[in-house]
Amino acid sequence: MTAMARITSSVYTSHVPAIGVAMDLGKTEEPYWRPLFAGYEPSRRWMAENTPDVVFLVYNDHANAFSLDLIPTFAIGCAEHFQPADEGWGPRPVPVVKGHPELASHIAQSVIQDDFDLTIANKMDVDHGLTVPLSLMFGQPQQWPCAVIPFAVNVVQYPVPSGRRCLALGRAIRKAVESFDQPLKVQIWGTGGMSHQLQGARAGLINKDFDNAFLDRLIADPEAASQIPHIDYVREAGSEGIELVMWLIARGAMDDVPPKLVHRFYHVPASNTAVGHLILENP
Ligand code: DHB
Ligand code: FE
């Protein structure tokens, strides 16, 4: 029998752009940043032992690859390469992201046949939503150590997808990966969040209680976490807290048995954001 691809583990992390800037400018040892980066040291050690062949990276674009002209709810990157986006200060000095067109096309085929209407992206620049998580988990290598399939979710312009739909989509992605006939180790990452609001009267909002309850539920009862309505994210976690629905896609792709908690970290603040981070392994 041919060995199939499988999802070995999932990683969850915030994607604050200032974290990328701190790394790019060599400021990670400064007192403001030191505790944040310390929280990712166990993750880098774990990653060195558990480097996958492919990361399926769920993130959101922040009006860099897309704009209000075109708003795909879910877009899967099927290209050979993805360039770091110019977000206004020039592209980050990070390696070009190498895709996995064969696995990405297979996932698109399987997931669309399972009734999720994905947009196929054959050319797409990737912004801090994708590159900051890579930097946090891999540091500053010359090349990223594995292929990456970018999976962009609209959490910027309403209507955005529900948590329920995100969890179900994760399950469809799991089925797709497990039916790919190459023995690839695949990690799925959910990025963005946790509580933050970047504009308006409540700018700077942080809600530690909501965030930690979300982490508890995501680990132990993703079904319950998927029932959280949009209005609760926005009220409790701020307007950008809605990015957390992306974590449910990664969680839905995990096996239907309790995962092994490898690492849990929470730190306030980084820029305007509460940073949350989990690593979960399939048993
Ligand atoms: C910040 C956080 C984000 O998620 C983002 O996309 C941009 C900025 C921040 O905290 O500064
Ligand atoms: Fe963001």
Side-chain angles (χ1 to χ4, degrees):
M1 207 184 94
T2 320
M4 308 302 261
R6 69 195 169 90
I7 293 182
T8 56
S9 47
S10 51
V11 173
Y12 309 79
T13 180
S14 309
H15 65 211
V16 183
I19 293 174
V21 176
M23 290 184 68
D24 300 343
L25 299 183
K27 294 176 185 256
T28 58
E29 295 299 325
E30 290 186 359
Y32 180 84
W33 290 112
R34 184 70 215 124
L36 180 280
F37 288 103
Y40 285 82
E41 280 166 11
S43 315
R44 297 215 188 132
R45 286 195 296 272
W46 173 85
M47 186 57 89
E49 303 282 305
N50 293 279
T51 310
D53 299 301
V54 185
V55 171
F56 188 93
L57 206 159
V58 181
Y59 75 108
N60 68 292
D61 177 73
H62 302 73
N64 291 302
F66 304 118
S67 72
L68 295 184
D69 289 349
L70 183 66
I71 308 169
T73 302
F74 301 116
I76 183 164
C78 294
E80 295 273 1
H81 298 104
F82 305 89
Q83 300 292 333
D86 186 338
E87 304 184 46
W89 291 270
R92 287 191 62 213
V94 291
V96 168
V97 172
K98 292 202 184 87
H100 198 301
E102 213 185 333
L103 177 59
S105 307
H106 170 84
I107 293 173
Q109 159 77 20
S110 176
V111 168
I112 291 171
Q113 294 314 309
D114 272 339
D115 303 335
F116 292 89
D117 306 312
L118 308 185
T119 296
I120 309 295
N122 289 320
K123 184 174 192 303
M124 182 165 69
D125 291 350
V126 287
D127 74 7
H128 68 269
L130 182 132
T131 64
V132 167
L134 288 176
S135 298
L136 277 168
M137 295 302 294
F138 293 127
Q140 295 169 295
Q142 288 300 309
Q143 301 289 330
W144 300 122
C146 61
V148 178
I149 299 175
F151 190 86
V153 180
N154 168 41
V155 288
V156 170
Q157 177 63 47
Y158 286 81
V160 309
S162 67
R164 195 172 355 92
R165 184 157 174 78
C166 287
L167 191 75
L169 171 58
R171 293 184 176 135
I173 291 167
R174 183 206 314 172
K175 178 177 158 194
V177 169
E178 289 176 349
S179 61
F180 187 68
D181 61 0
Q182 291 179 27
L184 299 175
K185 283 180 284 177
V186 180
Q187 288 180 6
I188 184 162
W189 296 10
T191 69
M194 299 194 83
S195 54
H196 63 306
Q197 170 147 347
L198 300 177
Q199 70 281 305
R202 298 199 309 160
L205 177 144
I206 300 281
N207 186 342
K208 291 185 188 178
D209 292 340
F210 176 90
D211 289 342
N212 280 291
F214 183 84
L215 293 173
D216 293 342
R217 260 194 287 186
L218 189 80
I219 296 165
D221 193 355
E223 200 68 49
S226 79
Q227 300 302 319
I228 301 171
H230 286 156
I231 189 68
D232 285 15
Y233 286 103
V234 175
R235 189 195 304 111
E236 301 297 328
S239 51
E240 277 65 50
I242 193 67
E243 290 179 343
L244 284 170
V245 294
M246 296 187 289
W247 294 31
L248 289 159
I249 297 178
R251 188 65 183 87
M254 295 291 285
D255 291 353
D256 291 321
V257 293
K260 178 180 168 204
L261 175 62
V262 174
H263 185 45
R264 175 173 174 159
F265 176 65
Y266 184 75
H267 176 78
V268 174
S271 184
N272 302 293
T273 299
V275 169
H277 174 41
L278 292 176
I279 299 176
L280 303 181
E281 270 177 7
N282 274 329

